[in-house]
Amino acid sequence: MKNFFPPSELIINSDGSVFHLHITPEALADKVILVGDPGRVATVAKHLESREFEVENREFHTITGQYRGKRITVVSTGIGCDNIDIVLNEIDALANIDFATRTTKASLRSLDIVRIGTCGGLQEFTPEGSFVASVKSIGFDGLLNFYAGRDSVCDLDCEAAFKKAMNWTGNQCIPHPYVAPASTVLLERIAKDDMVRGITVACGGFFGPQGRELRIPLADPQQNNKIMAFEHGGLQITNFEMESSAVAGLSALLGHHALTVCMVIANRVAQRANTNYKGSIDELIRTVLDRI
């Protein structure tokens, strides 16, 4: 890895904060909760007993504070793996790069990162209101393929099996999917025995990539049927969302522990959706805060 990062590669604001997030190194806790919606940061932070830092820039809203003796940073990412690329790299820079010298710190810091999100359920056993922990995430976005070492943190057997099941082998029009496992340490601590465990597909869009058809026909009308039928290592694909693969993959490459847990707000099998979910997701937030 490079040991000096010039201003064009690591952009530091005049106040000493990192470019997009506007967080300063001392404001970052070892335990980080990621949420997509900037408004959900306040929903998480209302449980904190005290706050020491808060900043907003674009879709990135951050609060650091204390929860039952634990120092926690809550960051909103916006939607999509492209935003996760910004957030994970900048969070890691805050933890592991000396901003004064622009060099890697001698002692690297490993963070616990949990994404709390919403998702679409893909099985009958994931109805609306279910909590799903992503044991592995299949990235449709192709993000991790731009990084060296991606094979070392991915489940290559699952990747090959999935491509075969989808008939994507040799299809140059489809981004090469990658399968990024979650941290087993966080999986056992957060999911315990009261969350559904499964494989999550992180999609590069909300409509076509998730098999939704409005006015543009789908390239493969059977895509979702193939996804729902896929099984590997005793796990089925339980849900769609849009960030988990980048969270798991980048965190593994950078030496952090990461897990995505989601509440199902729409079940694609039953074709039902709950748009009034914002109150009920609070139970998942409290669970993660207690266990992180």
Side-chain angles (χ1 to χ4, degrees), residues 4-13 19 101-102:
F4 178 78
F5 309 96
S8 61
E9 309 308 295
L10 173 61
I11 305 175
I12 301 173
N13 300 315
F19 184 58
T101 63
R102 294 181 170 275

Side-chain angles (χ1 to χ4, degrees), residues 140 162-169 171 173-174 207-214 216-229 240 268:
F140 281 10
F162 182 76
K163 286 194 294 181
K164 183 178 180 180
M166 297 296 292
N167 195 28
W168 283 0
T169 303
N171 187 340
C173 295
I174 298 292
F207 289 95
Q210 295 188 30
R212 288 186 174 92
E213 183 176 334
L214 297 184
I216 305 173
L218 298 174
D220 181 2
Q222 295 303 312
Q223 172 185 298
N224 280 12
N225 291 333
K226 296 174 186 176
I227 288 172
M228 288 185 281
F240 278 146
R268 303 298 295 281

Side-chain angles (χ1 to χ4, degrees), residues 23-164:
I23 305 173
T24 54
E26 63 273 10
L28 180 70
D30 287 339
K31 298 180 184 295
V32 180
I33 291 176
L34 303 179
V35 295
D37 182 357
R40 196 172 297 152
V41 173
T43 305
V44 177
K46 73 180 182 181
H47 298 286
L48 301 178
E49 289 121 18
S50 63
R51 301 184 188 187
E52 63 182 77
F53 176 84
E54 182 170 4
V55 70
E56 289 186 65
N57 181 53
R58 301 187 185 186
E59 59 265 66
F60 309 116
H61 182 194
T62 302
I63 294 176
T64 296
Q66 293 284 331
Y67 178 82
R68 297 185 178 179
K70 295 180 284 192
R71 188 171 185 247
I72 294 173
T73 294
V74 188
V75 184
S76 63
T77 66
I79 296 175
C81 286
D82 50 347
N83 278 12
I84 297 298
D85 186 59
I86 292 172
V87 173
L88 258 295
N89 276 289
E90 291 197 351
I91 283 176
D92 178 75
L94 291 165
N96 292 310
I97 296 176
D98 186 320
F99 277 25
T101 63
R102 294 181 170 275
T103 59
T104 305
K105 293 179 180 178
S107 179
L108 295 182
R109 181 177 164 198
S110 181
L111 307 173
D112 286 347
I113 302 169
V114 179
R115 166 173 142 68
I116 301 174
T118 56
C119 68
L122 294 173
Q123 304 294 340
E124 291 183 358
F125 58 83
T126 56
E128 304 97 300
S130 301
F131 296 163
V132 179
S134 304
V135 179
K136 300 175 185 178
S137 296
I138 303 176
F140 281 10
D141 55 285
L143 175 67
L144 216 64
N145 301 328
F146 288 89
Y147 290 94
R150 59 85 78 202
D151 285 2
S152 67
V153 298
C154 289
D155 185 333
L156 302 183
D157 288 340
C158 188
E159 284 182 18
F162 182 76
K163 286 194 294 181
K164 183 178 180 180

Side-chain angles (χ1 to χ4, degrees), residues 237-258:
I237 295 178
T238 47
N239 58 318
F240 278 146
E241 52 88 76
M242 297 178 66
E243 293 85 21
S244 61
S245 58
V247 172
L250 290 176
S251 294
L253 284 174
L254 291 166
H256 305 299
H257 293 285

